[in-house]
Amino acid sequence: MGFARACSVALVGVEGVVVEVQADLEPGVAAFTLVGLPDKSLVESRDRVRAAVVNSGAEWPQKKLTVGLSPASVPKSGSGFDLAVACAVLGAAERIDPAMVADVVMIGELGLDGRVRPVRGVLPAVLAAAEAGYEQVVVPEQTAGEAALVPGVSVLGVRSLRQLIAVLCDEPVPEEPADGQGRPDAMLAGLMIPGTGLGTGLAPAAARGDGHRPDLADVAGQLRPRQALEVAAAGGHHLLLSGPPGAGKTMLAERLSAVLPPLTRQESLEVTAVHSVAGILPPGEPLVSRAPYCAPHHSATMQSLVGGGNGIPRPGAVSLAHRGVLFLDEAPEFSGKALDALRQPLESGHVVVARAAGVVRLPARFLMVLAANPCPCGRHMLTGAGCECPPSVVRRYQARLSGPLLDRVDLRVEVEPVDRADFLGQGGRGESTEVVAARVRDARARAAERLAGTPWTMNSEVPGHELRTRLLVAPGALAAAERDLERGILTARGLDRVLRVAWTVADLRAADRPDASDVAVALELRTGIQRGVPMGAGER
């Protein structure tokens, strides 16, 4: 009787659970039994592993073979267990030393010819292995760079099962010929899910392969929306852009992700883990360093926005936009059920998806940008535009964005039609993305310095209690906001959000704390009521 064990990782959302793969050989009729709550793709590993072992030059044991995946109560899916199953079987058959694979985490799919194919979710799997105390990981060669992002873990990238057997047995490592040149690498096909490419709104339209980067200087006019965009980027505040078609709402939103500062190391690992599990991590780019941008179509379902699907829930658009921008163009056209599902992640920074197969907690701390027309035809309140929408239709259309959702939006700006002088560039081009991004970085640095020693790094994350008790504004600065609260123009949550925006405006002009003019700017951005103050957020 032979026994051996190896380790792999089962992913539940973007969190991993280390699974012990146990192989037991007993005398009897040759059979292969796989137990431990596997799904269909994992059950099929019996045939893949047998063919891979034989085609790698090893002998398949002709005995009763039982492979157990422990803990058995955790659902296991995917083909990433193939490599661990093969090594556990070879250890039980004494082809390799069982002690060599007992404490090694192995992740990878096996082809019938013995090649090791890459799988999705390598980074969160290696992170889970490191947190569990494992120090050695074996992954496919194509994903070794992604696994090496985790500190304190020794990573071995292999191209085939033959190479891994040679390394474990201290034998000469055979050379594996590369695929033919001049065609896409078929081994990378497992990393990308069909239908999750750039065409689904995962990057600004102007940055999808034509070499042109979206720049704020391309936007004609729109001084006030540009300044609101700067405030949103500096403090992480949610933004609503209202205006007729063709005014530039989409252009502004597509340029917001370039204004955001580069991701920190921890933020990059969080974003890369989500994208790796979702199957949208570009091959050859193991680490996402820029803020992501996600713009789902208005026909998207609630499951595609917050996560879901058959079996274990998969990340939705709110998780793909983690630490970046979620742009909902034509926001009133989204279903009310889908929009209201955004309330939880907007407040908590994560989303909890409960399905029959389990409950998954996914990260979802994003900056939301809503774009909306004033009416179905978009010409409402335009002089001479000829809007024929009845008042009842206009009211119903605008009511599709519910009050509780809008109460979580800090900035609400009207995007006016561009006049002839601005469109022809007679007033000069606006500031470029590079100039605005520099001010945003400085403002965020000031906020991070002020919030040092706390769990928060941006103004939008600070709870209202802290704003009212510890981070105090100038004396008398809240008089106008308190009057709006008494009149019912502001809610209690709205007053807290006005305070957060006021701190961001003060950071942009390098002030120690907000004064009455900063609060007035924040009130104007939230309520749309003119307060008689200049909107230049970066002016001193």
Side-chain angles (χ1 to χ4, degrees):
M1 182 178 68
F3 177 83
R5 62 186 177 90
C7 295
S8 191
V9 177
L11 289 177
V12 182
V14 294
E15 300 176 355
V17 178
V18 176
V19 173
E20 188 176 276
V21 181
Q22 304 169 344
D24 177 70
L25 282 175
E26 297 179 354
V29 178
F32 189 169
T33 304
L34 183 64
V35 297
L37 211 58
D39 73 341
K40 180 64 175 178
S41 61
L42 185 50
V43 168
E44 292 175 350
S45 68
R46 296 179 299 184
D47 301 315
R48 291 194 301 269
V49 169
R50 182 188 294 109
V53 168
V54 173
N55 290 327
S56 298
E59 183 179 353
W60 184 259
Q62 298 299 320
K63 296 181 179 180
K64 181 182 178 181
L65 172 62
T66 303
V67 174
L69 308 176
S70 179
S73 59
V74 177
K76 304 164 189 73
S77 61
S79 56
F81 295 87
D82 289 1
L83 203 58
V85 171
C87 289
V89 172
L90 292 175
E94 299 183 352
R95 172 63 179 86
I96 57 180
D97 185 2
M100 295 294 293
V101 298
D103 295 321
V104 179
V105 175
M106 302 182 181
I107 305 164
E109 175 187 335
L110 285 175
L112 299 184
D113 57 353
R115 290 185 300 171
V116 181
R117 303 179 65 93
V119 294
R120 299 183 296 273
V122 167
L123 177 59
V126 177
L127 284 171
E131 292 176 358
Y134 291 88
E135 299 178 352
Q136 295 180 325
V137 177
V138 178
V139 298
E141 186 180 52
Q142 293 85 348
T143 57
E146 182 181 345
L149 297 173
V150 182
V153 176
S154 176
V155 178
L156 172 63
V158 295
R159 188 176 295 178
S160 67
L161 182 59
R162 284 183 291 271
Q163 289 184 339
L164 181 57
I165 294 174
V167 170
L168 295 175
C169 297
D170 198 16
E171 300 173 355
V173 180
E175 290 290 336
E176 293 290 345
D179 289 339
Q181 301 297 323
R183 61 182 180 182
D185 188 358
M187 298 291 284
L188 299 176
L191 294 178
M192 299 291 289
I193 301 177
T196 57
L198 298 180
T200 57
L202 296 171
R208 296 177 187 169
D210 57 3
H212 175 67
R213 301 289 301 179
D215 196 299
L216 270 176
D218 300 333
V219 181
Q222 305 299 355
L223 177 61
R224 184 163 302 209
R226 286 169 59 97
Q227 291 164 343
L229 204 74
E230 182 177 343
V231 173
H237 306 290
H238 306 304
L239 174 63
L240 169 63
L241 299 173
S242 302
K249 302 186 295 294
T250 303
M251 287 187 67
L252 288 164
E254 288 180 342
R255 283 147 181 79
L256 179 56
S257 60
V259 177
L260 296 176
L263 301 177
T264 63
R265 175 74 177 185
Q266 180 61 34
E267 291 171 347
S268 295
L269 290 177
E270 294 175 5
V271 174
T272 304
V274 175
H275 287 201
S276 179
V277 170
I280 62 172
L281 191 64
E285 298 181 17
L287 186 67
V288 179
S289 59
R290 297 294 304 175
Y293 172 91
C294 187
H297 193 259
H298 62 259
S299 62
T301 62
M302 185 184 71
Q303 289 76 13
S304 66
L305 281 181
V306 301
N310 296 327
I312 297 296
R314 301 183 62 83
V318 297
S319 297
L320 300 182
H322 180 58
R323 301 294 182 183
V325 177
L326 176 68
F327 176 46
L328 302 183
D329 199 4
E330 306 292 346
E333 299 294 343
F334 283 79
S335 70
K337 187 178 180 181
L339 289 175
D340 288 337
L342 299 177
R343 297 184 196 175
Q344 180 201 12
L346 286 176
E347 287 290 335
S348 61
H350 63 267
V351 60
V352 178
V353 182
R355 295 291 184 271
V359 179
V360 173
R361 184 180 185 271
L362 300 169
R365 188 169 296 282
F366 54 89
L367 197 164
M368 182 180 68
V369 180
L370 303 175
N373 293 327
C375 67
C377 74
R379 299 189 298 271
H380 184 63
M381 298 182 67
L382 288 181
T383 304
C387 175
E388 298 179 355
C389 300
S392 59
V393 173
V394 175
R395 285 196 301 269
R396 282 197 302 268
Y397 186 80
Q398 296 178 352
R400 292 181 182 178
L401 297 179
S402 65
L405 177 64
L406 290 180
D407 200 36
R408 291 166 168 82
V409 178
D410 304 327
L411 314 174
R412 307 173 190 176
V413 182
E414 291 289 336
V415 183
E416 302 292 342
V418 181
D419 56 29
R420 182 171 59 88
D422 288 332
F423 188 73
L424 297 179
Q426 296 176 2
R429 300 187 70 190
E431 291 179 321
S432 66
T433 297
E434 184 178 356
V435 174
V436 177
R439 284 203 301 268
V440 169
R441 286 195 299 269
D442 293 340
R444 287 212 178 187
R446 279 187 283 272
E449 182 180 357
R450 181 175 62 253
L451 298 173
T454 69
W456 318 293
T457 58
M458 293 188 301
N459 293 322
S460 61
E461 300 173 352
V462 182
H465 177 72
E466 292 288 326
L467 293 170
R468 295 188 298 270
T469 57
R470 192 170 70 88
L471 301 175
L472 300 178
V473 300
L478 285 178
E482 291 170 354
R483 286 195 300 269
D484 285 357
L485 181 64
E486 292 176 354
R487 296 169 182 171
I489 300 176
L490 283 180
T491 62
R493 179 195 287 123
L495 180 58
D496 288 342
R497 292 184 175 272
V498 166
L499 282 173
R500 294 168 185 166
V501 175
W503 273 104
T504 301
V505 175
D507 288 334
L508 283 169
R509 64 182 187 89
D512 293 335
R513 58 179 178 173
D515 56 17
S517 63
D518 296 326
V519 175
V521 170
L523 284 170
E524 183 171 335
L525 287 172
R526 179 169 182 85
T527 63
I529 302 174
Q530 299 294 329
R531 306 283 171 165
V533 292
M535 284 290 293
E539 297 177 358
R540 295 182 182 272

